[in-house]
Amino acid sequence: MRLLPEQSWLQFNRRVLLQAERPDFPLLERMRFLAIWNRNLDEFFAARIAKPFLKARGSLEHRQLLAEARAQALLAQERYEALLTEASPRLKVLSPEALDELDWLYFRVFLAEVAAPKTDLIPWEAAGDVSHGALYFASEAHLVRLPQDLPRLLPVPGREGTYVRLGALMRARSDLFLPEPAPLYEFRVLRLLESERARADWDELVESLEARQEGTPTFLVAERGFPRAWLRRLREALGLGEEEALTLPPPLDLTLVERLVAEGPPEWRFAPLRPSRPKAFLKNPLHRLKEKDLLLYHPCEDYGAVERFARMALEAEEVWATLYRIGEENPLAEALIQAAQQGRRVHVLLEGRARFDELLNLSWYLRFLRAGVRVLPLPERKVHAKALLLLTREGGYAHLGTGNYNPQNGRQYTDFSLFTARKEVVEDLLAFFRAVAQGEAPRLRLLATGEAIRRRLLEGIRGEAHPEGRILLKFNHLTDPEVLEALAQAAEKGARVDLLVRSTLTLLHPRFRARSLVGRFLEHARVAAFRSGGRWRVYLTSADAMPRNFQNRFELLVPVLDEEARSKVLWALKRQLKDGRNAFLLTPEGMEPLWGGGKDGQGCR
């Protein structure tokens, strides 16, 4: 059975939403998944739906995607109500009618002095220009825009654990937002924020971002009870069909539950994770790597080891790094800045085009430049590799990872980190950096990038296409037609094909053993393993198995050469193949959750 990538990805988002039903998860953690699901769906209509929307809008496939999104939104609203009912002894979201006179003493002032001055009154004639994702209200004569920086959920002073929606308050006091009191109805519009422009320089990136908010509307969510004539008028102004609009009871954006998750009882959340720490490495990273490679499995093993390695840039003569999504505060990036300020030669390949992180990366770009870091020009290909290279008088030391150099994600996503001082790895990695810096295609011997990653995967798969063959792949996305066809042929020739695919798998073959894990941690590692002649060959990579990653990106694939490290990777993957708590089986007949028993493949012990 073949699926569109967008169909498969929506199935993944349904799996995310189903976490809100898990009986083994604390209440606030189940709520958190509502917010994750909502952010994912917004991103779907802002980016992932681009191809079917632009090339096949109105087709059966496009309508099926819309139907699935609508079904998930309805289910999410049901889960929101159910979780609030469960939380009601200690957390409540009141309606304005449930507030007393004392409560209104505060909220009248809040609405008048905080909310009203920040809202925009818009004529209906400008309905086609409403912003992506913002909360709007419609009245018969006007539209009202609520700024993104105002909290959607407000605590009720003096009532612990009690909140009220700002949108509901505004509707109760429409006289503060309209020329005269009138009924208000909520709505949100989602737009395609993908730019079709080629962006190969920082200046061009800025120009592209300036135009992004003008993206074409892709979906409209309106409050249930929204007057039909108004809804039709709004759809027509946005150029949307009936199937591209959905009505729901408020709230229309469930990310507001993040406040409940943050401020609710701590016993309703997961206990803090206490990762193990590689003490010898943390004491002296470079000395430890002279002895042998080190492989860490995050978040069970401390991501702080990566940041400790980066601080060794102060002892290096030259440093090279790829940076993709690094967040607002980043100890690793700060270590590179400090090294540059102290006279080290620091070269950073900062990928400015990481979707929706562009503004943050522009900020880091300026910081690096002003600190003396050499920021390499953006190449035509997007750089998604995860690599850090320290060159000293004694030799080179490398970190190669499957995840981003992001301090939050590094502690919440499952990823592998490989540290090594092997000469052949260091030489290849330096060749990669120098080639990209010079605008040339890297020529590598041990590592692989671009199309060579696909060739390495195909070689491994085809080598196992026999009854004794064993293939184990773990990716976020597995959509490449050549790789999938090779997997199908290997499976049909008797090989055992185990796939751990978090999000998108576009071929569901009856002989594949395919599963997706969705749990406490975001599954993020990318691994390929082949049992050749009884001995496993294992590769870590930054690349998902997608055509764009082989054709349009600089990725890296690295073999795990150390026997202990190789065994550790296989141990983690085989545990996930036996997971009975977080797994969904993916078959041509659909997906089946394996909850309530068996091993926890995300457990750290």
Side-chain angles (χ1 to χ4, degrees), residues 486-547:
L487 287 170
Q489 291 179 6
E492 290 164 2
K493 291 180 179 180
R496 174 170 172 172
V497 177
D498 285 299
L499 305 177
L500 293 163
V501 182
R502 185 195 74 198
S503 301
T504 313
L505 176 61
T506 52
L507 176 62
L508 299 173
H509 192 285
R511 295 195 64 122
F512 289 171
R513 300 169 182 242
R515 55 175 53 203
S516 170
L517 267 68
V518 184
R520 176 178 181 177
F521 307 124
L522 182 75
E523 291 296 326
H524 197 251
R526 291 100 165 183
V527 185
F530 311 99
R531 191 179 62 188
S532 179
R535 185 173 181 272
W536 284 95
R537 287 180 294 154
V538 177
Y539 301 88
L540 303 180
T541 179
S542 61
D544 283 309
M546 307 169 71

Side-chain angles (χ1 to χ4, degrees), residues 344-384:
R344 288 8 180 224
R345 299 192 303 276
V346 180
H347 315 265
V348 166
L349 188 50
L350 174 64
E351 180 47 76
R353 298 158 295 191
R355 182 192 293 159
F356 306 137
D357 276 359
E358 296 96 339
L359 183 60
L360 267 178
N361 287 338
L362 278 167
S363 174
W364 280 109
Y365 171 69
L366 296 178
R367 290 195 60 193
F368 284 134
L369 283 181
R370 288 168 178 161
V373 174
R374 179 193 177 199
V375 182
L376 304 182
L378 292 178
E380 287 288 344
R381 290 189 173 204
K382 184 180 284 189
V383 178
H384 194 250

Side-chain angles (χ1 to χ4, degrees), residues 215-236:
T216 306
T218 53
F219 203 60
L220 166 64
V221 184
E223 174 185 350
R224 188 166 291 170
F226 203 98
R228 289 187 179 182
W230 300 5
L231 189 60
R232 183 173 61 253
R233 183 180 180 186
L234 190 55
R235 283 196 298 99
E236 291 174 353

